Amino acid sequence: MSLAKNVEFLRHFPKLNGFNGLGIYGRSISPGARSPLVEIDGFGTNPGALKMFAYVPEPLPRASALVVVLHGCGQTAAAYDFGTGWSTLAKRYGFALLMPEQQGSNNANTCFNWFNPGDVARGRGEAASIRQMVARMVADHKIDPRRIYITGLSAGGAMTSVMLAAYPEVFAGGAIIAGLPYGIASNVREALGGMMQSTSRPANKLGDLVRKASKHKGPWPKVSVWHGSADRTVNPGNANEIVKQWLDVHGLPGEPMSIGDVDGHPREVWWNADGETVVESYTITDMAHGTPLGLSGNDERYGAEGAFLIEAGISSSYHIADFFGLTDRVSPANEAAKPAPAKIVPSAATESLQSSDLAATLWSRTHKPVHQPKPAPREPKRRGIDVGGAITRALTAAGLMK
């Protein structure tokens, strides 16, 4: 039976799954656990009907940076902040934090709708709501408009791709964790296909999707890509496609300019003519679907383990903040501050989520590209696939099964 027929078949059986709408899906902690985020109203017309949460450390340095962080499916802004440690980083290094939050009325599993044409186009839906939130933060806190960055996990990672493509003049850089390239899906069927199979596309076609998303002609945001090699929710091949997309936009060759290990995990790097790193890719060895956690470069820990927040021996939040150029100096008010280690004792339900495949989420330069043969994308290690289970979890994550 084809995927399309399976989708149509399972549409008629919304009560097949026994997860009660996945009420704990992706939630490793209680929604408001120890996060300093504050909800903000009145940030614009909000066409995507999202919620706005923010954290601004005091005192905030003049012309500070802003980081936008997008949670994954089933998570809340506060839960993802606590799990990843972004507000701790913001306090320590003196930058503002914006965390949009999806609502169940928009998506049954609180996934950002990264595949819905009405939510991903410039000036429309959820993308426009996030842009309005950024404008509110810039106006309220005198943010340096040249230092605005964005990152996200899974569906939040795919929405990060959307924002970088739709508003490239707004963001100086982005980091996509277990996400997908911009523009590869315009409906649920295409989204599921992209998640499970990650069809290889020509680099120039992927780049055109970004170039056509706005009238922007450059310079383009720099991009950091993170993906677990054992991810069975979003095919790891998507990382290669994201890299291809942004290398083409930046006019860079497919061959990495530098290859090395960071905290035991492979990292590939590309830089521009000025020697600035503009694309990097981390492959987190043997890691499943989630955000990698670990000690930072100065042996400090940010965040806490939980569902889709995975101890991997590398702190993605810290390295992403460093990639954005935010860790050069500690905020004067926090010279002696050290992030306290956070320890969560997982419940039986959370442990089950972490170990079960059924807990998956849906979630410039102007010089010409170098014309040389590009290596074929690395194929992820093949594993046995439970087709029925894969379709069921993907449909649940997409909000088609409750």
Side-chain angles (χ1 to χ4, degrees):
M1 183 179 290
S2 70
L3 173 62
K5 290 182 178 179
N6 268 311
V7 170
E8 185 59 30
F9 177 76
L10 290 173
R11 276 180 186 272
H12 300 292
F13 297 92
K15 295 182 181 179
L16 279 179
N17 85 80
F19 305 113
N20 190 29
L22 271 69
I24 58 172
Y25 188 46
R27 291 191 171 93
S28 57
I29 56 174
S30 60
R34 286 187 282 174
S35 170
L37 295 179
V38 175
E39 185 170 4
I40 298 173
D41 297 319
F43 54 85
T45 57
N46 192 16
L50 301 178
K51 291 185 176 182
M52 176 181 179
F53 291 86
Y55 169 67
V56 180
E58 295 183 0
L60 184 69
R62 294 181 60 184
S64 71
L66 171 67
V67 177
V68 182
V69 179
L70 303 176
H71 63 77
C73 296
Q75 296 171 324
T76 64
Y80 192 63
D81 171 41
F82 180 78
T84 57
W86 271 105
S87 60
T88 304
L89 281 160
K91 181 178 181 181
R92 180 163 179 75
Y93 294 107
F95 59 86
L97 182 66
L98 164 63
M99 296 194 70
E101 184 175 283
Q102 182 60 284
Q103 299 197 74
S105 56
N106 293 333
N107 184 290
N109 289 309
T110 62
C111 308
F112 289 102
N113 289 304
W114 61 273
F115 52 85
N116 181 7
D119 285 303
V120 303
R122 186 181 176 96
R124 299 182 63 187
E126 294 175 13
S129 289
I130 296 170
R131 175 66 183 95
Q132 290 177 355
M133 295 180 198
V134 171
R136 171 72 187 268
M137 293 293 290
V138 170
D140 285 357
H141 304 291
K142 297 181 173 58
I143 299 296
D144 184 344
R146 299 166 300 179
R147 302 177 67 208
I148 301 174
Y149 306 92
I150 186 166
T151 183
L153 164 68
S154 194
M159 201 66 180
T160 296
S161 292
V162 168
M163 297 305 295
L164 292 173
Y167 297 99
E169 80 284 7
V170 172
F171 299 101
I176 301 162
I177 306 173
L180 298 98
Y182 171 74
I184 65 164
S186 58
N187 55 52
V188 172
R189 179 183 61 81
E190 293 173 353
L192 296 180
M195 289 172 59
M196 292 190 288
Q197 298 175 0
S198 182
T199 301
S200 179
R201 296 169 172 82
N204 65 321
K205 299 295 185 183
L206 289 166
D208 284 346
L209 292 172
V210 172
R211 286 184 284 267
K212 292 176 181 178
S214 74
K215 296 180 180 180
H216 187 69
K217 302 301 180 184
W220 298 96
K222 60 182 182 178
V223 178
S224 179
V225 180
W226 295 69
H227 216 118
S229 68
D231 191 335
R232 299 181 67 184
T233 300
V234 178
N235 191 302
N238 280 290
N240 296 324
E241 296 298 290
I242 297 168
V243 169
K244 283 165 55 179
Q245 184 167 64
W246 285 97
L247 287 178
D248 188 77
V249 169
H250 281 282
L252 295 172
E255 189 70 23
M257 297 173 177
S258 174
I259 300 176
D261 281 0
V262 177
D263 295 336
H265 300 285
R267 176 183 181 242
E268 298 178 337
V269 180
W270 292 259
W271 53 78
N272 61 17
D274 296 327
E276 177 191 8
T277 297
V278 290
V279 178
E280 66 173 9
S281 177
Y282 285 83
T283 301
I284 309 305
T285 309
D286 295 327
M287 193 186 82
H289 188 67
T291 296
L293 308 178
L295 294 177
S296 68
N298 51 6
D299 293 330
E300 295 173 344
R301 178 171 293 277
Y302 298 93
E305 287 183 74
F308 313 113
L309 296 157
I310 303 172
E311 175 57 46
I314 183 170
S315 174
S316 58
S317 298
Y318 174 81
H319 283 288
I320 289 168
D322 188 59
F323 177 72
F324 293 161
L326 304 179
T327 62
D328 293 340
R329 68 181 185 89
V330 175
S331 175
N334 295 281
E335 288 286 353
K338 295 283 185 180
K343 180 67 176 177
I344 296 293
V345 178
S347 65
T350 299
E351 289 177 339
S352 175
L353 279 173
Q354 289 175 296
S355 64
S356 170
D357 286 339
L358 292 176
T361 60
L362 179 70
W363 53 256
S364 80
R365 297 288 291 180
T366 59
H367 61 282
K368 298 294 184 182
V370 176
H371 295 288
Q372 65 181 56
K374 295 186 178 182
R378 296 187 304 273
E379 290 292 331
K381 190 179 295 183
R382 295 192 178 276
R383 297 168 179 261
I385 298 176
D386 174 4
V387 176
I391 292 172
T392 299
R393 67 176 181 264
L395 288 172
T396 303
L400 294 178
M401 296 175 62
K402 301 179 179 180

